[in-house]
Amino acid sequence: MSDILASFYRLSENPDTLSLFDQLSEAFADSADYTTALIGKTDATEYHLCFIKSLCSSQKLDYLLGTNIEGDMSAQLERYYGTDLVEGNSKSCEQAICNGYAVICKRTSSTGLMLNISESRQRSIVSPITENVLQGPMNAFNESLDVNTALIRQQIRSSKLKLWETFIGTESITRVAVFSYSGAIDPDLLSKLKERLKKVQTAGVQDSGQLLRLLTTKNWMNLFPVSVSTERPDRVSADLLAGKAIIMVDGTPFALIVPTVYTDFWHSPEDKYINPYVTYFLLTLRFLAMFINLFLPAMYVALTSVNIDVNRLEISLAAAASREGVPYPVYVETLLMLIVIDFITEAGLRLPKSISSTVTMVGGVVLGQAIIQANIVSNLLVIIVAATAITNFIVIDYQMGLVQRILKYFMVMGATIAGVLGIVFCFACLIFYLSCLESFGAPYLTSLWSKKRRS
Amino acid sequence: MRRICASLKMVIVCSLTMIAVTGCWDSRDVDNRLMVGALGLEKSTETSLRVWFRFPVPKAIQGLSKKDFFTMSQIGFTVPDAMNKIKYKLPKALDASSTRALLLDESLAKTGINPYLEFAIRERSVPLDAVVAVVRGNMERIFTSPNPTGELAGIYTKLFFEPYAGGIPRKNKTRLWEIYAKLYNPFHANLIPLVTEGVQNSFEFTGNAIFLNGKIVGELNKDESLLFEIFTHRFHDSEVELMNRSDVRIVHNHTRIKTKLERGIPIIGLDCSLVTTLIDSSRTRKQNESQIIAELESSLNAHAKSMFEKTQREGADVFGFGNRFRNRLQPSQHGDWPEMFKSAKISYKFHIILRNTGLEFLD
Amino acid sequence: MKNPSAFTGYEMLAIQMLFSGAAAGFIYPSFLIRSTEGAYWIPIAVWTAGALLSSWLYSRMLARLEGRKLVSAIRSSVGLVWTSVLFLPVILFLIGALIVMLRAYSEIITMTMLPTTPISFLNGMLLSSAALALAGIMPIIRAARVFFLMASLFTLALLIIGFSDVNWTLGTPWFRTNGDFLLDNRFYAGSFLWMGFAITSLIGPYTMQSARGAWRSYALALICALPMIAGYVYLPVLTFGRDLSQRLTFPFVTKMDTIYHYWIIFDNLTAIFVSVTMLYVLLIMALKLHALGDTVKTLMPKAKNGFIYLGLFIVVYAAATFLPSWRELEHVIILTVGIRLYIMFIFPLLGMAALIVAQRRGGKGRES
């Protein structure tokens, strides 16, 4: 403790420039929560404590400010607990204050001592919100990188778990961490990833998704998410062991898993916790849902307006009966209905939970019934659109689900022009597009086959 | 990668302009089409024919007329010609792509069906899996009177022949492509079911018409049709063979066909084993197992005899035995097969097993 | 992944199977059925042997490349002019094959599913193939794996369903042949089906090992594709008989038309067959375009990649659109028989000779 005091008295003074205290006061001039406190007075000078009230722990502060100003400073400082004091110049002191440190400086000194009395405000660890867990680890990341790091470390208790940190954002100075498991990861990938992270130029990042957009060039090409974002530590640790890198951004609970290939979006971490046959069944179900979601509206258009002879006469007649009196061409009513159902989905998502159920009720039941009775769309179409909406929710990854929602319009376009063949053509184009994509060096369409062979 | 972007952009731009400029060519909504359920071909004059169209009508617009179908007819020189002409009368687009049945009038079938069916395979307007039948009687009544069981979406005629519905072996379901294939195959003659205008409903099955070169030359009755089915492996379901005193159901059959060519004469040996069960026996005169078998055998023999007589007289190999001789004949001889079939020696043998089952055993 | 354009065994298998699927489905059966009165499997077997021989010759040639690409290796050994002369037929063949494949497929669509859509619009599907070809060989391979998985499943299902209404006695004669097909030009016209290896040879660097491995997977692919080819040829014959099959333009399509089962959801299997064939055709067109573009690029190193593919696209599209009719297309196929035979058997020998000459010269040069 005497060291602290000693360094305290040794704070350098540079009479030529503005003192640290004045510089700080100027920098934080219009910040209401910037506080300075006089904590000691000697003959020669005054000692000031500068900090931002909202970032500091009041308990820790209490020790520093508890007694009267005239009191013995050494006694007060002894009660400070925390990391070592570091001396810093004005720039680092300013940054430190933004990080929740307190700076002690002499009235005239050009440097100050930084005391860590920060307290980060965060949620407690709760279960995942965007990924429902039925069976499996129930905890989820929160907004604090340190907590998240701890959660990952608790899953993998090995020295091979590596953590590399950098700061991104010229203004926000956000901590970004890259986790990797040194036994499994491709070092080439890791170095490339670090390189790319260093190159990122931006004012600030708020979420990992935003960081991903900054990391990938040619953004307009990337319709598909090139990385899974997850808030589940178990998924992260499983992927770490599988040789992937994890990017985490301070301030967001979502971790990015890179590289990610297309099939990864269809696996839930729970798949590993249950009976493999059930897993295969679920996987089949998901892919089936994907195809239905992609093709069903388009098939409706194709089969009721272009390739009538593909379906049975009975179905054609049923479709004709249900469309009787509808004044619009099939593709118009389909597009209309698809847009309406997307409105309903979006409204249900954005609203508070208590209202959203009402909205879906009104949208789904009332609107659906009314729109049929008004002869604007056929009732067969309502079934199809409902099935499409339901299958969309089976998609595990939220971002992939969003992409799927767009893709079905693409398919409907194809079906409008050339029927079934148009759909196949659009699908082929989609595959061609996917096969051109790469996610951090890994081809997007790498199938399970090659992964097995590589290992 | 930059180039891909450029080319992709180009693809999108090009396709969008294409769509905007040209539009969708084959797009015609289902409610704007009139789908043909059944087609009927009838002789009108020497050179022209009358084509009947029966369109099933969706339930939603049945309300006023209470009829679940709608019939039109048109005279034309060929079927496509009639189809073109009937468009002048129709409010919606004519769509024959899901036609389920094709009915041919007997008088037409007597003068030859070849020129009228040519369109089906060339233009692919009528599906090749439509069932075909020859109609005896008034085509107009069949096409205009409602079916008592309802239209069933225009597939009444199809269901009539389909094994999964009303089809029994004797009805000998024949599809359009079979007729077409056999028209070109010198070794195989057509056998097309013959239906007669019914009293209670539109039509009933009466037998099978033997075709040679697209013309009716004879007719098999129902019992002969059963044997035809047995010999050609088309027998798919159990079928009741009625005899004088007892009813027997054939539950399983197997036929071996042996062929050889001796001095230009085809020799065909048929060896048929049947597994049968007894359904009903007459109470007045009890029969034992061997009597029943003997009776069945003699009736089968009699039918077979008359059937082969009929077909051989005309040289119409409806069984397709000729396909087995294809290998033994030079391509130049293929056309001679109908003549050879006339002189073919056909022998047949039945091995009948009566499975003694049922709640009441036979003595 | 380090060597960006060498096929692995499975990828070679997938691509060659796709090639068979694209070539065998619609043009080939009618050629073969019309070419002989005898058993059909004999011409198929003869061509299989021919394909194995041709691909073996190619693999001997590729084994001498030592990690280089075929075109650039030959270019460095005999010079630009002679390479151009040597490769001119190859380029002509590839362009011809593309035109035929595109137009034939558009014709099949017009005849079956979209009767009023203009051919010029349908030919526009070449755009997606061209874009994929431009993207490089790796995307083609990745797409091929996906397509192979899907298309082979569907094709298998179609072939199995195709066994309904089959009458085996219609297939006779099973063993008799009088060799009449050897005199029929349609027999030689069917050679395009057996040239899959020639196309993949133009793509990618080869070494001794990879050439041998490629040949082995080609042979395997050929064996796997034989049931499919036989099915495309025999199923219509066993259903309709020879006499009608010979008159049909697309026997297998008509065969698909005849199938009706109560339990099949779709009424029209032709639609499924044509759709699956589209997957085959789009990918193989991309592969051919890429082979073509790669060759042209090596012969004209200064040209920009994008312009090469644009030019190729325009040439193929225009030619395919302005061919007046299906009969003309058949004439084109028959007329180009000579070029195909040259590429199958003479070209690898010439190429090998060129490479050997270069090796000798190079060896001497090093010694002196």
Side-chain angles (χ1 to χ4, degrees):
Chain A
M1 202 36 51
S2 54
D3 290 349
I4 297 176
L5 269 180
S7 57
F8 201 61
Y9 289 117
R10 268 191 281 113
L11 283 175
S12 63
E13 286 184 45
N14 189 349
D16 295 343
T17 56
L18 220 53
S19 74
L20 176 68
F21 181 73
D22 292 335
Q23 277 184 32
L24 288 175
S25 301
E26 196 183 308
F28 292 100
D30 289 329
S31 310
D33 53 352
Y34 175 70
T35 318
T36 57
L38 189 65
I39 52 168
K41 221 177 197 174
T42 57
D43 306 337
T45 182
E46 295 167 335
Y47 293 95
H48 287 275
L49 184 70
C50 312
F51 57 94
I52 289 179
K53 212 163 38 177
S54 48
L55 287 176
C56 298
S57 152
S58 56
Q59 283 176 331
K60 292 179 186 173
L61 262 177
D62 190 45
Y63 286 111
L64 287 167
L65 299 174
T67 49
N68 62 343
I69 295 167
E70 307 297 329
D72 185 7
M73 251 178 65
S74 60
Q76 276 180 33
L77 283 176
E78 260 169 37
R79 291 160 70 185
Y80 166 78
Y81 60 94
T83 51
D84 271 350
L85 294 175
V86 184
E87 188 181 339
N89 60 11
S90 68
K91 198 165 166 55
S92 58
C93 282
E94 189 183 323
Q95 188 55 48
I97 288 174
C98 288
N99 281 340
Y101 283 58
V103 169
I104 300 176
C105 57
K106 284 195 268 188
R107 181 72 186 82
T108 53
S109 66
S110 62
T111 57
L113 286 174
M114 293 173 277
L115 286 72
N116 187 1
I117 56 169
S118 73
E119 182 191 51
S120 60
R121 317 283 162 162
Q122 66 199 39
R123 287 185 299 146
S124 59
I125 294 171
V126 289
S127 47
I129 294 162
T130 58
E131 295 160 277
N132 266 333
V133 189
L134 298 176
Q135 275 195 347
M138 291 283 186
N139 55 3
F141 292 132
N142 67 10
E143 282 77 7
S144 160
L145 182 57
D146 296 318
V147 174
N148 296 345
T149 310
L151 284 176
I152 295 174
R153 285 253 183 225
Q154 280 168 20
Q155 293 268 351
I156 304 174
R157 297 187 185 276
S158 160
S159 61
K160 281 185 173 174
L161 178 64
K162 304 297 181 200
L163 170 60
W164 179 84
E165 249 188 40
T166 184
F167 292 91
I168 283 180
T170 48
E171 304 305 317
S172 71
I173 319 202
T174 314
R175 275 166 74 204
V176 173
V178 176
F179 294 85
S180 58
Y181 190 75
S182 68
I185 195 155
D186 178 13
D188 213 33
L189 164 77
L190 199 61
S191 57
K192 265 187 199 154
L193 187 61
K194 288 175 183 171
E195 202 76 10
R196 274 210 211 173
L197 276 170
K198 278 178 201 158
K199 274 188 200 151
V200 169
Q201 290 290 327
T202 182
V205 280
Q206 280 74 42
D207 185 70
S208 47
Q210 196 186 357
L211 179 65
L212 184 67
R213 278 178 58 175
L214 294 169
L215 279 176
T216 47
T217 42
K218 297 187 301 287
N219 274 320
W220 70 272
M221 275 281 289
N222 279 322
L223 177 62
F224 285 85
V226 289
S227 158
V228 170
S229 69
T230 181
E231 50 170 340
R232 295 182 56 173
D234 54 335
R235 178 167 204 168
V236 161
S237 58
D239 279 331
L240 273 174
L241 293 178
K244 298 195 171 176
I246 310 292
I247 305 174
M248 290 216 74
V249 177
D250 193 24
T252 172
F254 292 100
L256 294 177
I257 302 169
V258 293
T260 308
V261 300
Y262 186 71
T263 43
D264 289 341
F265 288 97
W266 301 94
H267 289 281
S268 160
E270 269 138 274
D271 291 353
K272 292 189 192 109
Y273 310 151
I274 49 178
N275 185 323
Y277 296 105
V278 180
T279 306
Y280 286 129
F281 171 69
L282 288 178
L283 215 58
T284 319
L285 212 63
R286 281 175 211 149
F287 271 93
L288 212 61
M290 176 190 81
F291 281 120
I292 285 176
N293 182 37
L294 213 56
F295 291 134
L296 197 63
M299 274 310 231
Y300 174 77
V301 174
L303 296 188
T304 54
S305 70
V306 183
N307 300 107
I308 307 264
D309 53 338
V310 172
N311 49 3
R312 289 273 156 93
L313 179 58
E314 293 88 323
I315 298 175
S316 303
L317 286 172
S322 80
R323 261 191 58 77
E324 203 56 59
V326 175
Y328 307 116
V330 172
Y331 58 91
V332 171
E333 61 160 351
T334 309
L335 286 176
L336 216 73
M337 212 49 206
L338 284 177
I339 288 173
V340 166
I341 203 87
D342 270 343
F343 282 152
I344 296 173
T345 317
E346 204 53 26
L349 279 178
R350 298 290 163 218
L351 281 172
K353 271 188 185 139
S354 48
I355 312 177
S356 68
S357 59
T358 325
V359 168
T360 34
M361 194 70 168
V362 170
V365 179
V366 180
L367 197 61
Q369 194 57 40
I371 212 165
I372 294 168
Q373 282 181 354
N375 252 355
I376 295 172
V377 301
S378 71
N379 39 20
L380 201 61
L381 179 64
V382 173
I383 302 173
I384 280 164
V385 166
T388 312
I390 290 168
T391 46
N392 191 257
F393 297 125
I394 298 180
V395 180
I396 287 184
D397 191 82
Y398 174 68
Q399 298 196 19
M400 195 50 112
L402 292 180
V403 173
Q404 290 260 316
R405 269 161 70 176
I406 299 173
L407 286 179
K408 66 180 182 242
Y409 292 100
F410 179 54
M411 294 286 167
V412 169
M413 293 263 288
T416 308
I417 300 160
V420 176
L421 280 177
I423 299 175
V424 177
F425 180 74
C426 284
F427 178 68
C429 288
L430 191 66
I431 299 278
F432 287 169
Y433 168 68
L434 279 174
S435 59
C436 294
L437 281 185
E438 284 191 354
S439 160
F440 296 91
Y444 205 53
L445 272 190
T446 311
S447 59
L448 297 167
W449 182 291
S450 68
K451 218 191 280 176
K452 268 180 209 156
R453 203 173 37 184
R454 222 186 288 143
S455 59
Chain B
M1 285 304 256
R2 185 142 293 270
R3 290 207 183 96
I4 307 166
C5 311
S7 62
L8 259 176
K9 242 184 230 165
M10 211 179 71
V11 169
I12 293 163
V13 169
C14 283
S15 47
L16 283 180
T17 41
M18 284 287 250
I19 296 160
V21 170
T22 51
C24 334
W25 297 269
D26 286 292
S27 177
R28 185 166 286 151
D29 296 348
V30 68
D31 54 326
N32 296 333
R33 302 191 192 210
L34 272 173
M35 274 162 289
V36 180
L39 270 181
L41 269 58
E42 193 182 30
K43 197 120 190 113
S44 164
T45 63
E46 211 37 56
T47 50
S48 65
L49 79 167
R50 176 181 287 275
V51 181
W52 288 90
F53 299 87
R54 181 148 165 158
F55 307 99
V57 173
K59 282 217 176 56
I61 39 176
Q62 279 169 21
L64 297 172
S65 62
K66 293 278 178 196
K67 254 182 163 182
D68 53 1
F69 66 93
F70 157 62
T71 305
M72 288 289 250
S73 74
Q74 175 63 47
I75 294 175
F77 294 109
T78 57
V79 179
D81 182 39
M83 281 185 177
N84 272 332
K85 283 180 180 158
I86 201 172
K87 285 175 187 163
Y88 300 131
K89 303 178 188 171
L90 294 177
K92 296 179 177 180
L94 177 79
D95 185 355
S97 66
S98 26
T99 308
R100 291 319 177 108
L102 189 65
L103 300 180
L104 306 167
D105 189 61
E106 197 185 9
S107 60
L108 180 86
K110 277 188 174 135
T111 56
I113 53 171
N114 295 19
Y116 303 114
L117 291 186
E118 189 81 12
F119 77 98
I121 212 142
R122 191 167 300 284
E123 224 216 337
R124 205 183 168 271
S125 50
V126 174
L128 290 173
D129 54 4
V131 291
V132 182
V134 175
V135 174
R136 176 176 290 162
N138 188 357
M139 186 79 95
E140 182 172 0
R141 218 209 100 209
I142 290 175
F143 267 83
T144 49
S145 62
N147 288 312
T149 55
E151 184 65 17
L152 284 175
I155 53 168
Y156 181 89
T157 319
K158 187 166 178 76
L159 288 182
F160 185 81
F161 289 105
E162 282 294 346
Y164 62 80
I168 50 171
R170 271 177 245 231
K171 281 184 183 168
N172 181 34
K173 182 180 89 173
T174 306
R175 283 152 298 175
L176 187 53
W177 65 265
E178 289 180 72
I179 294 175
Y180 214 76
K182 288 173 192 173
L183 279 180
Y184 283 99
N185 189 348
F187 295 102
H188 209 154
N190 267 309
L191 188 73
I192 303 178
L194 181 68
V195 293
T196 314
E197 186 190 345
V199 184
Q200 287 164 316
N201 64 354
S202 18
F203 50 74
E204 61 178 297
F205 174 74
T206 42
N208 283 297
I210 305 167
F211 277 72
L212 189 67
N213 297 325
K215 284 183 191 156
I216 291 191
V217 291
E219 193 183 318
L220 295 183
N221 64 27
K222 291 173 202 154
D223 291 328
E224 289 160 354
S225 304
L226 178 66
L227 272 162
F228 167 79
E229 298 286 317
I230 289 173
F231 286 146
T232 51
H233 302 132
R234 291 163 68 108
F235 192 93
H236 49 76
D237 206 357
S238 66
E239 177 108 355
V240 180
E241 167 77 13
L242 297 175
M243 294 184 296
N244 288 338
R245 298 184 196 85
S246 48
D247 293 351
V248 170
R249 173 181 282 148
I250 301 166
V251 289
H252 179 73
N253 79 318
H254 181 70
T255 308
R256 276 174 300 276
I257 303 172
K258 277 189 188 136
T259 55
K260 60 185 164 185
L261 197 63
E262 269 182 12
R263 275 172 274 121
I265 296 172
I267 294 172
I268 300 157
L270 300 163
D271 192 50
C272 180
S273 23
L274 298 168
V275 180
T276 58
T277 57
L278 189 67
I279 298 174
D280 190 18
S281 63
S282 131
R283 290 283 156 196
T284 51
R285 240 184 77 190
K286 280 268 176 193
Q287 280 180 308
N288 63 15
E289 199 176 325
S290 57
Q291 281 171 320
I292 292 173
I293 289 175
E295 197 189 335
L296 179 63
E297 200 170 340
S298 72
S299 94
L300 286 175
N301 274 322
H303 294 320
K305 186 160 179 283
S306 68
M307 173 176 72
F308 285 125
E309 267 173 8
K310 275 183 193 171
T311 52
Q312 278 192 292
R313 195 171 54 226
E314 304 295 340
D317 182 7
V318 291
F319 312 95
F321 292 139
N323 288 322
R324 294 163 191 272
F325 291 91
R326 186 189 285 271
N327 201 10
R328 294 167 210 169
L329 297 172
Q330 289 306 314
S332 56
Q333 294 176 287
H334 285 181
D336 304 337
W337 174 251
E339 283 306 312
M340 293 170 79
F341 182 66
K342 280 182 185 171
S343 59
K345 285 180 182 158
I346 304 174
S347 56
Y348 35 90
K349 232 192 277 172
F350 295 99
H351 306 276
I352 300 168
I353 299 165
L354 186 66
R355 205 188 275 162
N356 204 347
T357 56
L359 295 174
E360 187 188 9
F361 280 107
L362 219 59
D363 305 324
Chain C
M1 294 288 141
K2 295 284 178 267
N3 198 351
S5 43
F7 304 99
T8 63
Y10 175 73
E11 286 158 0
M12 189 74 177
L13 180 83
I15 283 182
Q16 295 297 351
M17 290 284 284
L18 287 172
F19 184 85
S20 305
F26 44 101
I27 325 173
Y28 185 70
S30 89
F31 272 122
L32 187 81
I33 289 170
R34 281 186 282 162
S35 74
T36 178
E37 288 288 336
Y40 296 126
W41 62 268
I42 294 171
I44 296 179
V46 168
W47 264 123
T48 312
L52 285 176
L53 175 68
S54 152
S55 58
W56 182 77
L57 288 176
Y58 266 97
S59 73
R60 299 311 301 160
M61 173 172 69
L62 296 179
R64 295 181 178 276
L65 291 184
E66 294 160 352
R68 286 173 298 171
K69 287 191 176 183
L70 179 65
V71 192
S72 50
I74 289 184
R75 186 172 170 223
S76 65
S77 64
V78 294
L80 182 62
V81 179
W82 282 109
T83 317
S84 305
V85 170
L86 204 56
F87 274 92
L88 193 65
V90 177
I91 292 168
L92 278 179
F93 151 69
L94 280 172
I95 291 179
L98 273 164
I99 293 168
V100 166
M101 183 168 270
L102 181 64
R103 179 56 190 258
Y105 187 65
S106 319
E107 284 285 341
I108 214 176
I109 295 176
T110 312
M111 287 183 203
T112 55
M113 294 175 76
L114 303 169
T116 56
T117 308
I119 295 263
S120 55
F121 175 76
L122 294 175
N123 282 346
M125 69 183 157
L126 187 65
L127 264 179
S128 72
S129 294
L132 184 68
L134 183 57
I137 186 66
M138 279 323 282
I140 294 179
I141 289 175
R142 281 177 225 143
R145 294 167 66 139
V146 178
F147 280 10
F148 174 59
L149 203 70
M150 308 187 75
S152 59
L153 277 179
F154 275 104
T155 305
L156 191 68
L158 285 180
L159 285 175
I160 289 172
I161 294 172
F163 274 95
S164 46
D165 298 316
V166 157
N167 180 357
W168 292 97
T169 57
L170 288 172
T172 51
W174 289 105
F175 296 105
R176 195 182 65 192
T177 186
N178 51 10
D180 56 352
F181 57 85
L182 290 173
L183 298 172
D184 195 303
N185 51 15
R186 283 175 293 232
F187 167 73
Y188 298 102
S191 55
F192 58 84
L193 174 57
W194 311 99
M195 309 188 64
F197 199 78
I199 291 165
T200 47
S201 299
L202 297 173
I203 301 167
Y206 284 90
T207 58
M208 186 90 87
Q209 279 84 19
S210 71
R212 206 170 290 160
W215 184 75
R216 231 174 283 134
S217 10
Y218 177 68
L220 184 67
L222 214 52
I223 290 165
C224 294
L226 274 182
M228 180 169 80
I229 297 168
Y232 283 153
V233 172
Y234 265 107
L235 285 176
V237 171
L238 292 180
T239 314
F240 304 125
R242 289 172 171 244
D243 313 279
L244 180 56
S245 303
Q246 280 171 3
R247 300 172 64 97
L248 296 172
T249 318
F250 301 117
F252 196 73
V253 170
T254 311
K255 162 75 203 177
M256 287 286 117
D257 264 337
T258 65
I259 295 171
Y260 178 92
H261 284 294
Y262 195 32
W263 46 268
I264 295 179
I265 302 167
F266 294 109
D267 218 18
N268 191 342
L269 287 178
T270 309
I272 297 176
F273 171 70
V274 174
S275 306
V276 172
T277 308
M278 180 180 239
L279 297 185
Y280 287 122
V281 167
L282 283 181
L283 194 105
I284 293 306
M285 285 199 304
L287 187 78
K288 283 180 178 170
L289 269 175
H290 186 79
L292 195 55
D294 233 23
T295 311
V296 174
K297 173 84 184 160
T298 322
L299 297 180
M300 297 193 288
K302 278 182 192 155
K304 269 191 181 167
N305 240 347
F307 287 113
I308 290 176
Y309 285 101
L310 187 68
L312 290 174
F313 169 76
I314 290 169
V315 166
V316 174
Y317 176 84
T321 309
F322 292 118
L323 263 183
S325 76
W326 176 258
R327 288 284 157 230
E328 303 298 317
L329 194 68
E330 288 194 342
H331 282 309
V332 170
I333 299 175
I334 291 171
L335 284 177
T336 49
V337 165
I339 294 182
R340 282 202 294 276
L341 290 180
Y342 162 80
I343 289 166
M344 280 185 88
F345 301 108
I346 301 169
F347 174 73
L349 292 174
L350 289 177
M352 215 169 348
L355 289 172
I356 290 172
V357 166
Q359 241 168 6
R360 291 263 169 78
R361 212 190 293 147
K364 271 181 197 161
R366 243 172 271 144
E367 277 163 29
S368 60

